[in-house]
Amino acid sequence: MNRSFGRTLPTKADQSRKPARTSEDRLRALYAEHAGPLLGYALRLLHGDRSSAEDVVQETLLRAWTHPEAMDPSRGSPRNWLFTVARNLVIDAIRARKTRPAEVGEGRLGEDWAQSLADTGADPYDRSLDAWELAEVVAVLSPEHRAVLVETYYHGASVAQAAKTLGIPPGTVKSRTYYALRALRLACEERGVTP
């Protein structure tokens, strides 16, 4: 430490340690000030999924810490920026989940159908009933037709992958898929179910 006019001046070694401490203090202050409101906001966006909401808060605060210029009050309210980042993280997570359909095994066929239906904005109860009816229709199909539909539509397998999994030639996968969809359509019409 250098002394100048009765004050202690920091050395270069002290100055190199100071930014890390300041950065840590800034992160703690950021967490203390914004974590609670961010968690509440993320919980509302994620319909009460606490673990996902906590992940969103952590990622949001990490981004704020790595982009300190965004937290400059002269650019506007830091909280607005944080809430925008949190909202974008939630949207990205939802989009990522929607790009890959939920996998449904043959043993669980019918349990997760409500998630695989497109969100029409209808009442969740009505969607569940529709999914239940559709699961009952699929249960009427032959085991071969059901297996090929599960592989190609719900597992997203190509014809070659489904052929390998089911142990049948690719041409058989194609024809079974065609006839399975045809049988499914007829069974739905008989029951008044619209897939």
Side-chain angles (χ1 to χ4, degrees), residues 22-177:
T22 304
S23 178
E24 183 181 321
D25 290 341
R26 195 173 63 232
L27 182 60
R28 287 180 193 273
L30 188 67
Y31 181 85
E33 186 176 349
H34 300 290
L38 268 174
L39 181 62
Y41 180 66
L43 279 169
R44 281 191 302 279
L45 291 175
L46 293 165
H47 307 291
D49 183 356
R50 186 168 186 87
S51 64
S52 295
E54 289 171 350
D55 290 344
V56 167
V57 169
Q58 180 179 357
E59 181 63 26
T60 302
L61 292 175
L62 179 64
R63 289 186 184 190
W65 184 55
T66 57
H67 299 285
E69 69 280 359
M71 301 306 293
D72 184 9
S74 67
R75 295 183 68 187
S77 171
R79 190 165 285 181
N80 289 344
W81 185 85
L82 290 168
F83 276 56
T84 301
V85 170
R87 181 178 165 274
N88 290 340
L89 288 170
V90 169
I91 290 170
D92 290 345
I94 290 170
R95 285 180 181 158
R97 264 186 259 137
K98 286 184 177 182
T99 60
R100 181 170 181 187
E103 293 183 13
V104 179
E106 192 171 339
R108 296 183 54 199
L109 196 60
E111 289 180 16
D112 295 331
W113 278 60
Q115 293 177 358
S116 67
L117 293 177
D119 185 10
T120 60
D123 182 28
Y125 179 74
D126 290 338
R127 285 197 336 247
S128 296
L129 286 177
D130 292 342
W132 192 285
E133 289 175 339
L134 193 55
E136 288 177 352
V137 172
V138 170
V140 173
L141 298 176
S142 69
E144 294 84 12
H145 286 163
R146 197 169 38 248
V148 80
L149 286 180
V150 166
E151 285 302 316
T152 56
Y153 282 89
Y154 295 102
H155 291 168
S158 67
V159 171
Q161 292 168 333
K164 185 176 179 183
T165 302
L166 297 172
I168 56 176
T172 305
V173 170
K174 291 178 185 178
S175 65
R176 281 188 187 169
T177 303

